[in-house]
Amino acid sequence: MLSALGKKSIATMAALGDGAQFSWQMFRWLLPGLLQWRTWKRTMPLFFEVGNRTLPVIAITGTFVGLVLAVQSYDQLRAAGFEQRMGVLLSATLVPELGPVLAGVMLAGRVGGALTAELGTMRVTEQISALTVMGTDPIRYLVVPRFLACLLFAPLLNFFCDVFGSLAGWFIAVVLKDIPSSPYWYYVRDAIGVIDLTEGVIKSFVFGGAIALITCYKGFHCRAGAEGVGRACTEAFVLSFIVILISNFFLGTLFSGLYVGLYGFKALI
C-alpha cells in the first residue's frame, strides 16, 4: 500500500511539473504572438467554435437556473415581506458566483472535450510530431490560439449566462407572481456594484485560461489509441471542473474580504 501511494505521489508530482512546464512554454509564446497577425488568423475560426456553438448551451443553462432560483426563493421572500427584492437574491447569486461557474463548466464540457479530442488525435496520428520535425513549435501553433479563444470568450459567455438567468428570474417575479417591474430592477441596481461585476469577469478569465491549459495539456499527453483519447477527454473535464470549484472558492473569499475592507458589511435584504 505504501509503495502504491509513493508511486502515485511521484506520478502526481511529475504531472504537476510537466503541466507547469507546458504552461510556461505557452505563456512564453503568448506575448510575442499577440503582436503577430498570423496568431489571430489561426484564432478567429476558434472564436466561432468557442463562442457561437457554446452560446445555446449557456442560454439554456442560465435560463433554467434563473427559473429555479426564482421559484425556490419566492415563497421564503414573500413570507418575510421581501418579495419585491427577489432580483437582489438572483443577481447576487448569478453575477459573482453562479454565472462564472456555470459558464466555465459548460465551456469545459462543450469545448474542452473537443479540444482534448482534437489534439489527442493529432498526437496519436503523429501530426504534432510532424510539426516539430518541420521546425514549427506545436505549442505556439496549436495551443496559443486555443488559449486566446477560451480566455476571451469565457467572460462573454458569463455575461450571457447572467443576462438569461436574470431575465428568467424577472419573468417568474413580474409576469407570474405580479411583482412590479420597477422595484425589481431598482433593488438589483442597488445591490450589484462594480466589484461584483469585476469579480465575475476576473473569475471568467481565470476559468477560461485554466480550461484551455488543462484540455490542451491532456490532448498533448494522451495515450495511444481511441481508449487513450477518450480517457484524456474525461480526465480533462473532471480536472477542469475541480480547478473551477477550487479557484472559485479562493477567488470568492478574496473578493469577499476585499469588499468588506472597502465598503464594510452590506445586508442585501
Side-chain angles (χ1 to χ4, degrees), residues 35-87:
L35 304 176
Q36 297 176 349
W37 166 244
R38 58 185 178 182
T39 300
W40 295 104
K41 190 176 180 181
R42 288 195 293 268
T43 306
M44 286 179 185
L46 295 167
F47 286 164
F48 178 80
E49 185 70 24
V50 175
N52 287 25
R53 292 191 175 178
T54 311
L55 185 57
V57 182
I58 292 293
I60 294 171
T61 304
T63 299
F64 280 93
V65 167
L67 292 174
V68 168
L69 287 175
V71 169
Q72 294 292 333
S73 61
Y74 174 74
D75 290 334
Q76 295 295 328
L77 292 172
R78 185 186 179 192
F82 293 124
E83 65 270 23
Q84 290 188 350
R85 303 194 180 195
M86 181 191 290

Side-chain angles (χ1 to χ4, degrees), residues 14-15 17-23 25 115-116 119-124 128 139 143 213-224 228-229 231-233 235:
D18 289 342
Q21 185 180 18
F22 183 85
S23 301
Q25 290 177 346
L115 294 182
T116 303
L119 295 177
T121 304
M122 295 179 71
R123 166 63 70 186
V124 171
I128 294 178
I139 292 180
V143 178
L213 287 174
I214 291 170
T215 53
C216 290
Y217 172 80
K218 287 294 182 182
F220 264 58
H221 295 82
C222 77
R223 297 178 182 175
V229 176
R231 181 171 294 182
C233 293
E235 291 176 353

